[in-house]
Amino acid sequence: MKEFIHITALVLINLLVVTALSNGVAAQVKSEPAASLSKTERLLKEISSTYTVLKGNNTFLVPFQGKNKKDIEVIIVESDDMIVLFSTVADGKEIEFTPALMRKLLEFNMQADHIKVGISERGSIDVQVETFLAWMEPKGFQVVLDQIAAGANI
């Protein structure tokens, strides 16, 4: 009888230990705030970037200071498996589209490594990147952000 009580006690102790461990693991998973962050926000935190969340948890504004353009705002939008980063160089109302300006834009577009320069449907000059989110890792993300800011500073 003593053996039966001893075995029962061991089984109960093991059940209590397993239950306590599994509750501890579940609590650790629930308390992890990074799990609720989007991949873009995790990347922004990893590269120690200053940013503002604009809509929900998938649109961000990253401010930069330029030499030619004082305040540069890079907008980042994450959607499903894609990410778009863009900035407006000049509003369409401020631009006179001369052949010389168009040539300069085309030349810049060929010199830029990762970004494209274009005229939006609003008539503004924008720089942007669209890519798969899965391809973004911290170092490459920083390069793309810097390229967008540099492109907006022309």
Side-chain angles (χ1 to χ4, degrees):
M1 183 72 165
K2 282 186 179 182
E3 231 178 318
F4 177 75
I5 294 174
H6 188 285
I7 292 173
T8 304
L10 283 176
V11 169
L12 287 175
I13 290 172
N14 283 335
L15 283 173
L16 288 174
V17 169
V18 168
T19 303
L21 287 175
S22 65
N23 285 341
V25 170
Q28 288 174 2
V29 171
K30 288 179 186 174
S31 68
E32 181 60 48
S36 65
L37 299 178
S38 67
K39 180 168 182 179
T40 300
E41 191 162 7
R42 286 193 305 271
L43 286 166
L44 287 165
K45 286 184 179 297
E46 269 189 72
I47 64 171
S48 302
S49 182
T50 301
Y51 65 93
T52 303
V53 179
L54 296 180
K55 276 186 168 179
N57 64 350
N58 68 339
T59 305
F60 308 89
L61 181 142
V62 180
F64 286 88
Q65 295 293 309
K67 292 179 183 176
N68 299 325
K69 185 177 178 186
K70 185 179 176 184
D71 295 317
I72 298 169
E73 296 179 335
V74 176
I75 307 294
I76 305 168
V77 180
E78 178 182 324
S79 178
D80 298 322
D81 61 345
M82 297 296 296
I83 185 169
V84 178
L85 301 91
F86 69 94
S87 184
T88 298
V89 177
D91 188 17
K93 299 171 190 166
E94 305 167 355
I95 306 166
E96 182 181 343
F97 287 101
T98 64
L101 175 62
M102 299 302 282
R103 181 179 179 93
K104 184 175 181 177
L105 289 174
L106 288 171
E107 288 172 351
F108 180 79
N109 209 32
M110 286 300 291
Q111 293 170 0
D113 293 331
H114 305 285
I115 63 175
K116 62 182 178 180
V117 180
I119 301 168
S120 75
E121 63 278 352
R122 301 178 325 273
S124 62
I125 298 174
D126 292 344
V127 291
Q128 69 183 46
V129 168
E130 304 116 4
T131 191
F132 290 104
L133 191 56
W135 295 352
M136 285 285 108
E137 45 81 27
K139 186 176 179 181
F141 185 68
Q142 181 71 64
V143 168
V144 169
L145 263 177
D146 291 345
Q147 284 264 317
I148 294 286
N153 194 40
I154 58 173

